[in-house]
C-alpha cells in the first residue's frame, strides 16, 4: 500500500508528554483505529519531521518505539510498515487469558518440596515478619546504646570517602580476606579454634552458616541429631532439606552423647551448642565433648558446633571449642557477630575443613555472591585494631551486672512464681515456672503487658519439661529490667 | 579418700598468668601426675584460699574451671573430688582416634547431592575465587569513579551517627520497608512493573533472587527453559536443584517462544532476559513477550524475568516489563542495584505474586535472615530523594558515549578481525570473530595481555555460534578503551 501522512496536530495537543511520545501515540492510535491498514507503508522519518515541524530524531524515536513494540515492521531508513498482527490485539488476547487463569482454570505448577514446606508453614521461621521490638526480655540483642558507633563510624568514613576498588566490585564469595584473617586470629586465641584464614568462610550471620551447612550435607530422609530443646531456626534449616530431626536429651551438662537414640546411629550431622546450650544454658563438659567427637568418628557423622554465645562467660575460663579438640576434621564451627556487634550487620562465619572451603564458596557464589562489602571491611579493621576485643570485655562486665539485676528483680517480685538462677555464661536466663503452669499462656499474657518472653516449650521437640521462660537481659538497663519484671509479675 | 592440701607455692611461680589460672594449673598437674588419686577429695575453697593466702573467689574460679573441664566432679561448697576418668586420658584417646581417621579408615558421610555437585565442580560458579580486577573489558561493572559517594556518604553518616533501632536489631526478612516502597515506586514508573511495596522482596543481589526462585520452584528432574546462550550463574542455580536445563534458541529478537522444544512442554520455569538478552543483547519484541506469557499460561509454567540491564537503553523507550504485561501472576521479576550502584553493595530485588511473598520471606528467614540493614536504609533514601534516578540518567549518557568509543576503537584497530556493532541498550557489546576462530583461545591470549573478555561460547549450551567476545565498556574511560582495544588487537 502507499504511504500516507498521518494527521497529527501537535499544536492542538494539550499533552505535556515529550514530542516523540505524542507522535508515537498519534500513530499508534491511527493504526489501532484502522486509519492505517495492515502493511501500509509509513512516511519516512524525514518527511514526517518536515511535515510536523519537529526534528527528525524525534520522529525516529517515535518510530523506534513503535517498531520495538510490534506496531511497525521493517527498518528506519529502508521503509517501515504497519505490522500484520497488532500488539493491542495480542494484548487483548493476553488479558482475556489472564482473566481465565486468575479464575483458576489453569493453575500454575506446584512449588518445589522446599517451596511447599515454606508455603504450608512446616518450616516457617518465627522471624518472617518480626522486626526487632527491643522489648524486655527479648533475647539475643546487644546493648546497642553502648556500641562504640563513633569508632565504627570513623572506620566506615575512611572506606566511604576513598572506597578501595576491591570492595566495590564483586568480591570473594568466601569473604573479604582481611576479615577472614582477623576472624581466624580472634577465634584461635579466644576460642581455641584451630584454623587458618583460608578455612574461614564469612557468612551473612550464623543463620546462613547453618543453612549452607544443612544444604551441603543433608538431603531428603537423612537423619540429623539436634539438642532437645533446640534453636528453632537451626531445626528449620535442617527440616527444609527434607532431613529427619532426631532429638537428643540435654541436661545440666548439655547434650549427652550417651543418650543418642538408636535411630541416631545413621545420622549424618549432629547440631550442638556446647558453649551455652540454647536455650537452657548448660555448658557441655569436656568428657562429653570428647565423647561426642568419638561418637561422630564411630558413626561417620559431621558436627555443627554453634558457638553463638561464647564471648559472654562470667565464671571460669571458657572451654576450648569442639573444633579445637577435633583431630579428624569433622566439625563445622559456626560463629556470629550478631551478639557482639549488632544483628542488623548480618555477619557471621563458618570454619570448615580445608577440603570444603570451596564448596561453601561455591554455594555462596550461586546463592548471593558474598556479604555486603563495606561492612566486611569495616569489621575487619574493627577487630584488627583491638576495638572488638575491648568492646566484648566491656559488654561482658555489663552483661554480668545486668544478669545480676535480673536475678535480683525476680527474687524481689517473682519469688515462688518464677525460679531464676545465676548462670555462668550467655545473654539470657531461663526462669522456671511452677509445675503445671503453661509457659505459652504466660508468654501470651506477658505480651499483653508489653513483655517479650519465649516459652521453653516452644523450643522443645520431644521431652516434656516444666514450663519456663527465656529471659534476655543484655539489651536492657537496670531500670528496664526492674520495670519488666514488675510487669511480668502482673502477667503471672 | 581423705583430702590433702596440694603443694602450691605461688611466691615461687614466675608465671604472669592470673592467680586462679596458676592454681588451676598446679592442681591439674598434681592430678595428672597422680599426686591426687582418682576420687580424692579436694580441700574446700576456703581452706585452700587461707592456705595459699589468696581470696576465696580465686580458688572458686580455679575449681570451677577444673569442674567444667572434667578434672573434678562434685560441687563447690558440698565437696569436690578428682574425677574417675581424666580429661587428659580422654584427650589422648581422642587424638589417637583422630589420627586413625585422618589416615582415612573412617571417612565422613558423603555430602548432599547439592554439596556433591559443588564439590565436583558440576555447578561451580566462575565467581568462586574471582575478586573483580576492573580490567578492560570486564563486563557488568559500573563507572564507580563517578558514583556520588559524597551523597551516599552523607546519608550513611546520618544513619551511622544516630542509628535507628529498627536497623540494628533483626529486620524484616522481606526487606526494609522504606526500601521496598522506593523500589516499587521506581519499578512502576521506570519499568511498568505492576506491584505494591508488599510484593517487593529485597535480596542480596539479583543472584539471590534467582537462587531463591530456583529453590522455591525447582526440584530434581524438573525441566527449566533457559535462553541459549545463557547467563551462567542462573543456570548454575537451576542445575544445583537437580533440575534439567532445556535450552531455547535466541535470535535478534531475543528468546523465541515458537522455538521452545517439545521437551519444554513440561517445564515448570522459563528464565528470560527480555530487556537485553544476556549475553547477546537482543531486546525481546512485544509479540514474543505476549507469546511467552501465553505459552506459560498453556503450560502451567512460571517465568523469571531477569531485567538486569534495563536502566541503560540508548535508543527508543524501554519496553514494558513482562511482569507488567502479565495478568496471571506467573512472572517473578528480578532486578539488581549491582549495575547502577556497585556490585559490592549486594542489593537486588524480586517482585513476586502476593501469595508467594511470605514463601520468599520464609526462605530468607532460614537462609540469612535479611540483607545488611545500613545499606538498605541508605539505598532507600538515595532512591527516595531522587539521587538514584539522577545518577542513572548521568550514567546512561556516559555509557552511551563509552559504547561509541568502543565501537570507534574497534573500527580503528580491529577492522575485519572483530565485528562490533552499536547496540541500543546494555553495558556490553558482543564482538564477533571471523568464522572458525576459537573465542576461548582468543580470550586466553587476551588475558595474557591483561585484557578480560568472555568468550560467547562459554555461555552457549547447545547451539554452535560463530566465536564472539563479550566486551564490557561501562567501567572504562576512553583512554582505557582505546588502549584495551589496542592490546586486544595484539592478542588477535
Amino acid at each position: 500500500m502507499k504511504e500516507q501522512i498521518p494527521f497529527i496536530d501537535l499544536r492542538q495537543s494539550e499533552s505535556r508528554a515529550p514530542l516523540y511520545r505524542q507522535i508515537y501515540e498519534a500513530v499508534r492510535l491511527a493504526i489501532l483505529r484502522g486509519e492505517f491498514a495492515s502493511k501500509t507503508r509509513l512516511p519516512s522519518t524525514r518527511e514526517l519531521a518536515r511535515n510536523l515541524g519537529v526534528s527528525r530524531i524525534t520522529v525516529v524515536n517515535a518510530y523506534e518505539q513503535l517498531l520495538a513494540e510490534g506496531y511497525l515492521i521493517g527498518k528506519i531508513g529502508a521503509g517501515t510498515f504497519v505490522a500484520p498482527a497488532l500488539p493491542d490485539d495480542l494484548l487483548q488476547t493476553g488479558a482475556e487469558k489472564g482473566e481465565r487463569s486468575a479464575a483458576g482454570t489453569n493453575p500454575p505448577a506446584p512449588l518445589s518440596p522446599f517451596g511447599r514446606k515454606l508455603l504450608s508453614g512446616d518450616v516457617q521461621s518465627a522471624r518472617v515478619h518480626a522486626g526487632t521490638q527491643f522489648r524486655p526480655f527479648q533475647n539475643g540483642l546487644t546493648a546497642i546504646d553502648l556500641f562504640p558507633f563513633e569508632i565504627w563510624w570513623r572506620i566506615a568514613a575512611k572506606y566511604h570517602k576513598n572506597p578501595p576498588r576491591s570492595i566495590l566490585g564483586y568480591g570473594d564469595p568466601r569473604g573479604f580476606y582481611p576479615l577472614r584473617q582477623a576472624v581466624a586470629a580472634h577465634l584461635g586465641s579466644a576460642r581455641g579454634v584451630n584454623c587458618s584464614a583460608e578455612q574461614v568462610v564469612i557468612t551473612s550471620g550464623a543463620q546462613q552458616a547453618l543453612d549452607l551447612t544443612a544444604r551441603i550435607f543433608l538431603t531428603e530422609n537423612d537423619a540429623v541429631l539436634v539438642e532437645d530443646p533446640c534453636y528453632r531456626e537451626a531445626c528449620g534449616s535442617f527440616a527444609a532439606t527434607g532431613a529427619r530431626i532426631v532429638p537428643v536429651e540435654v541436661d545440666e551438662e548439655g547434650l549427652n552423647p550417651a543418650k543418642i537414640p538408636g535411630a541416631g546411629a545413621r545420622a549424618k550431622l549432629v547440631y550442638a551448642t556446647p558453649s551455652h546450650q540454647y536455650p537452657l544454658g548448660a555448658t557441655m563438659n569436656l568428657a562429653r565433648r570428647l565423647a561426642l567427637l568419638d561418637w561422630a568418628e564411630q558413626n561417620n557423622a559431621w558436627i555443627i558446633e554453634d558457638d553463638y554465645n561464647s564471648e559472654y562467660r562470667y565464671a571460669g575460663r571458657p572451654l576450648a571449642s569442639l573444633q579445637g579438640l577435633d583431630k579428624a576434621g569433622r566439625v563445622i564451627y559456626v560463629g556470629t557477630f550478631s551478639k557482639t556487634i549488632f544483628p542488623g550487620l548480618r555477619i557471621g562465619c563458618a570454619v570448615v575443613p580445608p577440603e570444603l572451603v570451596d564448596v561453601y564458596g561455591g554455594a555462596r557464589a550461586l546463592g548471593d555472591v558474598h556479604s555486603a562489602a563495606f561492612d566486611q571491611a569495616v569489621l575487619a579493621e574493627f577487630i584488627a585494631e583491638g576495638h572488638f576485643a575491648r568492646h566484648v570485655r566491656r559488654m561482658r562486665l555489663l552483661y554480668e551486672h545486668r544478669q545480676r539485676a535480673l536475678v535480683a528483680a525476680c527474687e524481689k517480685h517473682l519469688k515462688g512464681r518464677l525460679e531464676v538462677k545465676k548462670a555462668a555464661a550467655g545473654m539470657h536466663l531461663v526462669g522456671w515456672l511452677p509445675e503445671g503452669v503453661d509457659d505459652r499462656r504466660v508468654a501470651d499474657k506477658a505480651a499483653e503487658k508489653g513483655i517479650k518472653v519465649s516459652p521453653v516449650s516452644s523450643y522443645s521437640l520431644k521431652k516434656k519439661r516444666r514450663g519456663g521462660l527465656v529471659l534476655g537481659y543484655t539489651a536492657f538497663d537496670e531500670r528496664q529490667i526492674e520495670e519488666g519484671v514488675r510487669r511480668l509479675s502482673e502477667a503471672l
Side-chain angles (χ1 to χ4, degrees), chain A:
Chain A
M1 287 190 191
K2 237 197 84 56
E3 67 205 79
Q4 298 170 265
I5 303 286
F7 178 77
I8 303 172
D9 190 346
L10 295 173
R11 288 160 310 175
Q12 285 190 4
S13 169
E14 287 181 10
S15 168
R16 286 188 297 179
L19 275 180
Y20 94 89
R21 190 64 208 276
Q22 295 182 39
I23 297 168
Y24 156 85
E25 273 298 343
V27 176
R28 183 174 160 273
L29 283 175
I31 293 171
L32 288 174
R33 290 195 195 110
E35 295 167 22
F36 292 160
S38 173
K39 298 183 194 168
T40 307
R41 184 185 189 124
L42 261 75
S44 75
T45 51
R46 196 177 306 273
E47 198 178 343
L48 185 57
R50 199 173 341 110
N51 191 275
L52 294 174
V54 299
S55 80
R56 187 170 158 250
I57 190 69
T58 304
V59 179
V60 169
N61 283 340
Y63 276 28
E64 273 183 350
Q65 189 63 39
L66 290 160
L67 281 161
E69 294 190 358
Y71 291 96
L72 302 182
I73 52 171
K75 214 173 155 180
I76 292 173
T80 47
F81 302 85
V82 176
L86 293 185
D88 288 62
D89 297 347
L90 296 169
L91 275 169
Q92 195 50 37
T93 321
E96 276 163 14
K97 277 175 191 152
E99 279 151 27
R100 266 217 317 280
S101 167
T105 52
N106 216 359
L111 305 184
S112 68
F114 172 67
R116 290 200 298 274
K117 281 189 192 88
L118 289 165
L119 192 64
S120 66
D122 280 359
V123 295
Q124 203 69 294
S125 154
R127 289 210 186 104
V128 177
H129 297 163
T132 300
Q133 299 288 322
F134 285 91
R135 290 217 184 107
F137 295 95
Q138 185 163 351
N139 183 21
L141 301 178
T142 57
I144 47 162
D145 300 332
L146 298 167
F147 183 76
F149 276 109
E150 67 293 347
I151 295 173
W152 185 267
W153 169 237
R154 203 188 62 220
I155 302 171
K158 200 179 71 181
Y159 281 101
H160 275 86
K161 281 182 181 155
N162 193 11
R165 294 199 151 202
S166 58
I167 66 171
L168 294 173
Y170 290 99
D172 188 326
R174 299 166 302 180
F176 184 59
Y177 194 72
L179 180 56
R180 296 167 76 196
Q181 288 179 301
V183 167
H186 163 66
L187 292 180
S189 68
R191 302 294 307 122
V193 170
N194 178 18
C195 72
S196 67
E198 281 69 21
Q199 284 174 262
V200 175
V201 178
I202 301 301
T203 57
S204 295
Q207 186 63 37
Q208 189 176 44
L210 297 176
D211 194 64
L212 288 176
T213 304
R215 293 167 56 207
I216 286 170
F217 289 96
L218 298 175
T219 188
E220 206 75 32
N221 295 320
D222 281 343
V224 53
L225 301 179
V226 305
E227 298 168 333
D228 183 6
C230 185
Y231 174 53
R232 285 181 295 227
E233 275 73 19
C235 279
S237 281
F238 303 145
T241 68
R244 282 181 298 119
I245 307 287
V246 180
V248 182
E249 226 176 283
V250 158
D251 60 24
E252 294 68 33
E253 304 285 323
L255 182 148
N256 187 352
K259 293 284 178 74
I260 291 176
R266 284 172 298 108
K268 262 173 110 172
L269 195 62
V270 189
Y271 172 74
T273 53
S275 274
H276 190 243
Q277 202 277 329
Y278 194 82
L280 299 185
T283 300
M284 196 174 178
N285 68 27
L286 185 63
R288 287 196 182 177
R289 285 175 196 235
L290 295 166
L292 182 61
L293 287 167
D294 197 37
W295 182 90
E297 169 69 18
Q298 299 304 324
N299 291 275
N300 300 350
W302 300 84
I303 298 171
I304 303 181
E305 175 178 29
D306 184 347
D307 204 29
Y308 76 105
N309 251 357
S310 56
E311 293 86 358
Y312 303 121
R313 171 156 284 279
Y314 313 117
R317 193 181 55 132
L319 279 172
S321 61
L322 271 179
Q323 198 275 357
L325 296 170
D326 171 34
K327 300 290 185 299
R330 300 186 167 278
V331 174
I332 308 295
Y333 176 94
V334 171
T336 181
F337 290 95
S338 296
K339 313 295 184 227
T340 43
I341 310 284
F342 46 84
L345 183 70
R346 309 307 314 129
I347 298 187
C349 69
V351 177
V352 309
E355 67 275 17
L356 293 182
V357 176
D358 283 354
V359 172
Y360 279 75
R364 285 305 297 277
L366 292 180
D368 57 357
V369 194
H370 60 80
S371 299
F374 272 99
D375 291 338
Q376 288 194 73
V378 175
L379 179 58
E381 197 160 322
F382 189 80
I383 298 172
E385 286 189 352
H387 306 299
F388 176 73
R390 205 168 304 127
H391 178 61
V392 166
R393 275 198 302 274
R394 276 182 66 215
M395 291 304 104
R396 194 183 295 129
L397 291 173
L398 178 76
Y399 295 167
E400 189 180 5
H401 185 80
R402 289 183 170 182
Q403 191 197 93
R404 250 185 310 217
L406 175 60
V407 173
C410 290
E411 183 75 15
K412 183 169 151 194
H413 295 289
L414 291 170
K415 205 168 169 71
R417 291 184 295 161
L418 194 73
E419 192 189 327
V420 175
K421 269 192 214 139
K422 196 169 153 264
M427 300 173 79
H428 70 265
L429 292 174
V430 177
W432 295 103
L433 293 162
E435 287 293 350
V437 178
D438 179 349
D439 54 10
R440 286 174 200 254
R441 272 202 65 216
V442 173
D444 289 345
K445 286 259 180 201
E448 288 168 19
K449 303 271 174 194
I451 298 297
K452 164 105 180 125
V453 287
S454 299
V456 167
S457 63
S458 72
Y459 302 95
S460 295
L461 297 166
K462 204 170 130 194
K463 188 177 162 73
K464 292 270 167 284
R465 289 176 191 270
R466 206 171 135 188
L469 306 175
V470 173
L471 306 166
Y473 50 82
T474 49
F476 313 103
D477 64 23
E478 275 178 86
R479 199 193 49 73
Q480 290 169 308
I481 287 173
E482 170 91 22
E483 169 64 15
V485 170
R486 218 191 36 72
R487 280 199 268 166
L488 185 58
S489 153
E490 292 169 16
L492 267 163

